[in-house]
Amino acid sequence: MNEKQRLDSSQVTPSDKKSEKDYSKYFQAVYMPPSLKDAKKRGKEEVKYQNDFKISEEFRGLGNGKKFLIRTYGCQMNEHDTEVMAGIFTALGYVATATAEDADVILLNTCAIRENAENKVFGEIGHLKALKRERPGLLIGVCGCMSQEESVVNRIMKKHQHVDMIFGTHNIHRLPNILSDAYMSKEMVIEVWSKEGDVIENLPRERKGKIKAWVNIMFGCDKFCTYCIVPYTRGKERSRRPEEIIHEVRQLAASGYKEITLLGQNVNAYGKDFEDMEYGLGDLMDEIRKIDVARVRFTTSHPRDFDDYLIEVLAKGGNLLDHIHLPVQSGSSEVLKLMARKYDREKYMTLVKKIKEAIPTASLTTDIIVGFPNETDEQFEETLSMYREVEFDSAYTFIYSPREGTPAAKMQDNVPMEVKKARLQKLNKLVNEISAKKMMEYEGQVVEVLVEGESKNNPEVLAGYTSKSKLVNFRGPKSAIGEIVKVKITKAKTWSLDGEMAEEALEVN
Ligand code: 5AD
Ligand code: SF4
């Protein structure tokens, strides 16, 4: 499908959304719904890099005198997409508001990773109905990962007709057109491309903070783990060119940002899609290492593509932080096989060993899913034993949630929900135990803290993070905000550390 057909098929809006009977037939005729089947295809088409995003004359001032609100669910990729959309809103003349009652446009930037993430969004869509009734001029939009799912779009069309716009993760740059269509049409505007778009380099951004910034290095995922919806909602792997990334990081450094997080769903596959050169994440990190910015992180890693060269580069240290988030998902090789993770327990352990040998101070965190279809008690115990063996600093833990359209959702599952819940509890107990033990090791140590601001609970206290993402609270001058200071840890808690500023740090300020 070419660009023209794609737009033609998606821009038309249905004219009779009240008549539910003919509804689906009508929609099929006039717009292109998202299709998980199409999203699964991985074509050979070259990724096109575009540098020509601009707000066209017809949309200038579209938002003058109006306010926007974006509610963000899910991962950092979504948070960063919200910054891009906020940039587009601002370029259109809108100003941001934090209250729904004030807003002229409300967007829900959604996450599809688990059912409870989706339930939250449907709850919120329901709440917004009353607001829309009070103020029919309010525009409500649903975007992000959920809008890439056919079932979600169908449900919104059928049950939530107060929604004005649905657009997908590949359509963010089309926000001005979508808003303009929504103002002109009384009907729901739906624009969801199932196939990924091009990489657009010059989108505006309204970054949330002045200290830490996110930088996309790649989009999409080709791994197709059997439980995961991301390869469908985010499309195929497309890497940004290194020179664009380096330029963005340099600019952020020059404007005073202290910490950069390089973002991608599967950052270790960075560069694999380049046809003209051999260039991977290790090469990119080796260049970013030379930029004058205090801290550089990256997320999320896939153990399968984590190569020796990357470890070698990370071991050079400097601004490359010694904290690696390395999702393992399960400690059982059999379950990993069913998950199609393409590594087993031994391979993961070998990788951990290599990382710890090359970077002795490295701390590892992870993601774990319990209750994958038919996971046995023994297999779950293997996850516990592996957790103990690696001694992760902490973990995000989840109960498996079937996602429609993924291979795992078709697997028969004999594990009752109570068993899954009990496993999660048991795992969390272990995670907390080891976290608490690791936190205790900080007592008496001096750590470097990037100070982010006042503590949420006490404005007299400052709060910031260590290179390993440990939250530290301490008393210090407000001038330390935005700086990296040395703090002596006086007390460890399970999830945070209390400390006092070390003397050299006072001199720094
Ligand atoms: N059910 C539960 N957890 C999931 N994750 C991804 N898909 C699912 C699912 N279907 C978890 C994985 C991943 C993290 C972002 O979310 O652990 O690493
Ligand atoms: Fe959620 Fe994944 Fe989408 Fe992020 S990319 S918002 S984790 S579904």
Side-chain angles (χ1 to χ4, degrees):
M1 187 170 45
N2 65 30
E3 180 85 350
K4 169 97 179 47
Q5 286 164 325
R6 199 152 61 166
L7 296 186
D8 287 349
S9 58
S10 56
Q11 273 184 338
V12 191
T13 55
S15 62
D16 182 14
K17 67 178 179 182
K18 298 283 176 305
S19 76
E20 276 220 5
K21 222 161 144 217
D22 301 314
Y23 195 71
S24 64
K25 253 193 265 159
Y26 185 77
F27 266 100
Q28 273 166 19
V30 296
Y31 95 125
M32 177 63 62
S35 151
L36 289 181
K37 220 165 124 218
D38 285 349
K40 190 173 182 191
K41 292 181 191 145
R42 291 295 183 263
K44 280 261 166 267
E45 321 83 57
E46 223 182 285
V47 174
K48 289 200 192 71
Y49 295 90
Q50 290 189 21
N51 232 322
D52 57 358
F53 176 85
K54 63 176 195 312
I55 304 283
S56 99
E57 272 313 313
E58 60 185 305
F59 304 134
R60 282 206 188 278
L62 189 70
N64 284 353
K66 298 196 185 91
K67 294 184 180 164
F68 75 95
L69 169 66
I70 310 176
R71 293 228 162 100
T72 313
Y73 303 80
C75 64
Q76 302 181 20
M77 191 67 84
N78 257 22
E79 295 273 355
H80 189 46
D81 283 349
T82 288
E83 293 184 336
V84 172
M85 291 190 286
I88 298 177
F89 271 118
T90 308
L92 289 169
Y94 292 86
V95 290
T97 174
T99 32
E101 286 68 25
D102 262 11
D104 299 285
V105 185
I106 299 177
L107 290 187
L108 305 182
N109 188 7
T110 63
C111 172
I113 200 110
R114 281 170 292 275
E115 196 184 349
N116 55 4
E118 296 203 352
N119 289 344
K120 265 194 235 160
V121 170
F122 276 114
E124 185 59 23
I125 294 176
H127 287 146
L128 291 175
K129 194 169 184 174
L131 213 59
K132 177 79 180 177
R133 213 181 283 128
E134 272 169 37
R135 288 194 291 128
L138 166 70
L139 285 188
I140 296 174
V142 177
C143 58
C145 290
M146 276 170 72
S147 48
Q148 294 293 139
E149 295 179 281
E150 288 151 79
S151 57
V152 168
V153 172
N154 287 334
R155 181 166 159 189
I156 295 176
M157 286 186 332
K158 291 205 178 95
K159 302 221 172 106
H160 302 282
Q161 294 187 18
H162 59 289
V163 169
D164 302 280
M165 313 169 270
I166 307 178
F167 60 98
T169 56
H170 309 309
N171 304 69
I172 286 177
H173 62 293
R174 302 248 323 137
L175 182 57
N177 310 62
I178 294 163
L179 283 167
S180 160
D181 288 353
Y183 282 122
M184 285 194 291
S185 161
K186 283 200 169 55
E187 314 301 338
M188 206 184 286
V189 175
I190 300 162
E191 191 179 295
V192 185
W193 296 344
S194 297
K195 299 294 282 175
E196 51 288 328
D198 302 328
V199 172
I200 303 170
E201 281 299 344
N202 63 334
L203 291 169
R205 289 179 175 82
E206 275 290 305
R207 296 190 189 268
K208 223 163 94 185
K210 300 249 169 289
I211 302 169
K212 302 204 287 194
W214 289 299
V215 172
N216 286 125
I217 64 167
M218 62 178 301
F219 306 93
C221 178
D222 288 349
K223 279 284 179 284
F224 289 102
C225 302
T226 54
Y227 52 81
C228 190
I229 193 79
V230 171
Y232 308 83
T233 61
R234 291 280 175 172
K236 77 169 181 183
E237 289 170 356
R238 291 101 70 208
S239 303
R240 285 180 74 197
R241 301 297 297 187
E243 55 278 13
E244 296 286 355
I245 298 167
I246 290 162
H247 176 69
E248 189 175 340
V249 175
R250 282 214 179 101
Q251 278 198 326
L252 289 165
S255 17
Y257 283 90
K258 294 287 181 341
E259 184 174 310
I260 305 293
T261 302
L262 305 175
L263 281 184
Q265 259 87 30
N266 176 17
V267 288
N268 300 81
Y270 175 75
K272 284 191 190 301
D273 54 319
F274 293 151
E275 292 193 346
D276 57 336
M277 60 175 176
E278 290 261 322
Y279 191 96
L281 185 61
D283 301 289
L284 181 69
M285 297 305 276
D286 204 28
E287 299 211 43
I288 291 182
R289 187 172 73 74
K290 298 169 196 148
I291 300 177
D292 187 16
V293 59
R295 290 180 168 185
V296 181
R297 306 179 185 276
F298 57 94
T299 197
T300 279
S301 276
H302 191 296
R304 158 94 182 190
D305 297 321
F306 209 111
D307 58 41
D308 292 352
Y309 182 54
L310 175 63
I311 299 176
E312 192 186 316
V313 172
L314 293 178
K316 295 181 186 177
N319 59 3
L320 307 183
L321 299 184
D322 51 357
H323 169 203
I324 298 166
H325 187 66
L326 195 60
V328 63
Q329 313 298 0
S330 167
S332 151
S333 294
E334 287 139 3
V335 174
L336 288 169
K337 188 150 197 218
L338 289 175
M339 288 176 164
R341 290 290 287 175
K342 302 184 183 80
Y343 58 84
D344 57 16
R345 182 185 173 116
E346 286 64 41
K347 286 214 178 88
Y348 187 91
M349 289 311 297
T350 307
L351 176 60
V352 167
K353 200 161 156 252
K354 270 194 211 163
I355 293 173
K356 287 190 171 174
E357 270 168 17
I359 315 164
T361 61
S363 72
L364 295 173
T365 53
T366 198
D367 292 349
I368 296 173
I369 297 175
V370 301
F372 189 76
N374 308 315
E375 182 191 54
T376 63
D377 276 334
E378 292 72 29
Q379 289 167 337
F380 170 65
E381 289 295 329
E382 287 187 70
T383 297
L384 296 178
S385 75
M386 185 171 191
Y387 197 90
R388 274 193 211 98
E389 207 175 321
V390 178
E391 284 221 318
F392 290 104
D393 269 38
S394 67
Y396 294 104
T397 58
F398 312 102
I399 291 181
Y400 165 72
S401 169
R403 306 285 62 217
E404 197 183 313
T406 62
K410 295 188 200 86
M411 295 177 189
Q412 288 262 327
D413 186 3
N414 63 10
V415 188
M417 187 45 91
E418 309 85 76
V419 173
K420 296 185 192 227
K421 284 187 178 159
R423 284 182 191 162
L424 185 71
Q425 258 187 6
K426 201 165 170 190
L427 174 61
N428 285 344
K429 196 163 159 265
L430 177 66
V431 169
N432 293 352
E433 237 172 72
I434 296 184
S435 284
K437 182 182 136 204
K438 296 225 155 191
M439 293 297 256
M440 281 304 288
E441 291 168 9
Y442 282 96
E443 284 195 358
Q445 279 190 33
V446 174
V447 291
E448 290 196 336
V449 177
L450 173 55
V451 188
E452 294 193 11
E454 295 166 359
S455 141
K456 277 195 193 104
N457 306 326
N458 183 353
E460 300 291 302
V461 170
L462 297 179
Y465 287 88
T466 68
S467 62
K468 296 180 177 172
S469 300
K470 308 286 184 227
L471 173 62
V472 179
N473 292 304
F474 65 100
R475 282 176 196 272
K478 299 271 189 276
S479 58
I481 295 174
E483 303 295 329
I484 294 179
V485 300
K486 293 210 162 83
V487 176
K488 184 163 183 191
I489 302 305
T490 50
K491 189 169 169 37
K493 300 176 172 169
T494 314
W495 300 116
S496 67
L497 302 165
D498 287 347
E500 53 198 34
M501 263 175 95
E503 264 181 76
E504 311 107 272
L506 287 170
E507 280 162 26
V508 171
N509 290 287

